[in-house]
Amino acid sequence: MSPTSPIPVLRGSGGAVLRAEGDALVLTRGDTETWIPFRAVRRVRAEGGTAAVELTAPTGAEPAVHRVDGVSGAAVAVFADMVNAALPARGGEEAGEEAADGAALVGVRPAAGPPPESPAARKTRVFRIWLGSVVLLGVVLTAAVWLVAPASVALPLLVVVPFGAALTTAGHLGLKVVHREWYLPRKGITVEAVRRDGTTDRFGATGNYVYTDLHGQSRVMYAQRRAEAIRIAYHPRNPGTAAVCQTLPRLIGGAVAFAAVLLAGLAVDGAAAGLVFYAFRGEYG
């Protein structure tokens, strides 16, 4: 059987998961996995919403059974039919030979942890947390100021707080990008990156570029460029961290622009803090 088995995955109560993997069934409960080779399985019984994996056992012995409850009856029926059809033939048993003890063939191992979070997923998660925190802060400050000051003083905080946070964050992140674009060409490894076909915008101004690191692994980075090939630099210990090689005037211009955005954001944040401070001092009462 291939790793991409057509046998459905059963998800039962208590987080139990029963799936086919190669020539075995894998039952996951909590932080452990029970590995049941097909040669240890006598049959899978569909008992309504329960899948019962009955193991082989010597004559006269009670066969061990692994159960997964709380599953769709239709899914259990399909799972049982497909697994039973995939089990190896046991001609020896039909000839009177004693069946092997399937329980002795079963192994238990720690469950594999969740796959590592991709950089894109991590950035999305961090952005959602940041956005939720800013909105919550704006709402809490607005409600608190409204208790001690007129609505005309409190309501602007719903706009001022997120606006100031957005400016501050944009300036900070922009300066980090500029620093990376200055640092990597001087301390990193410079290579050529080629535009990947079919990934440009309609104006051809942005797109994904592919480069190969020293280990021979192809990597992709996004760049606002029109050229078919560009010079990029990546970190020697972290080849996935890369930046486009910029001219000195462009680096200076970017640093000045983002510093201005950061200062503007800090000014707006300061104004919001001052408004809250004076509101609680009763200056607007």
Side-chain angles (χ1 to χ4, degrees), residues 77-91:
V78 173
F79 182 89
D81 290 343
M82 296 187 74
V83 172
N84 290 333
L87 295 177
R90 296 188 173 87

Side-chain angles (χ1 to χ4, degrees), residues 26-46:
V26 179
L27 174 59
T28 304
R29 293 185 191 274
D31 57 356
T32 61
E33 286 183 347
T34 302
W35 184 76
I36 310 171
F38 279 173
R39 66 180 186 276
V41 180
R42 181 172 183 269
R43 61 175 175 169
V44 178
R45 303 194 306 266

Side-chain angles (χ1 to χ4, degrees), residues 114-278:
E117 187 178 29
S118 67
R122 184 178 64 84
K123 289 179 181 179
T124 300
R125 178 174 57 82
V126 171
F127 173 76
R128 289 176 177 173
I129 294 174
W130 173 87
L131 182 61
S133 301
V134 170
V135 172
L136 179 61
L137 177 63
V139 171
V140 170
L141 288 178
T142 300
V145 171
W146 205 335
L147 295 175
V148 296
S152 59
V153 175
L155 289 179
L157 287 173
L158 288 174
V159 176
V160 173
V161 172
F163 182 64
L167 286 178
T168 304
T169 303
H172 172 69
L173 295 179
L175 287 175
K176 286 183 64 176
V177 171
V178 172
H179 177 264
R180 186 165 64 241
E181 291 174 342
W182 172 85
Y183 174 83
L184 288 179
R186 289 158 180 78
K187 303 294 184 179
I189 300 172
T190 302
V191 295
E192 185 178 78
V194 180
R195 184 188 290 270
R196 174 181 285 180
D197 293 338
T199 61
T200 61
D201 62 15
R202 66 178 62 184
F203 304 106
T206 61
N208 290 327
Y209 287 81
V210 181
Y211 64 96
T212 303
D213 62 26
L214 289 179
H215 305 290
Q217 181 175 349
S218 294
R219 299 180 180 273
V220 180
M221 69 169 294
Y222 175 83
Q224 295 179 330
R225 290 291 186 274
R226 296 179 181 273
E228 291 300 316
I230 59 175
R231 301 289 290 177
I232 66 101
Y234 65 86
H235 198 286
R237 293 192 301 274
N238 185 13
T241 301
V244 179
C245 297
Q246 306 281 13
T247 63
L248 183 59
R250 186 157 186 164
L251 286 173
I252 295 174
V256 171
F258 285 117
V261 173
L262 177 61
L263 291 175
L266 292 175
V268 175
D269 293 337
L275 189 151
V276 174
F277 175 75
Y278 285 111

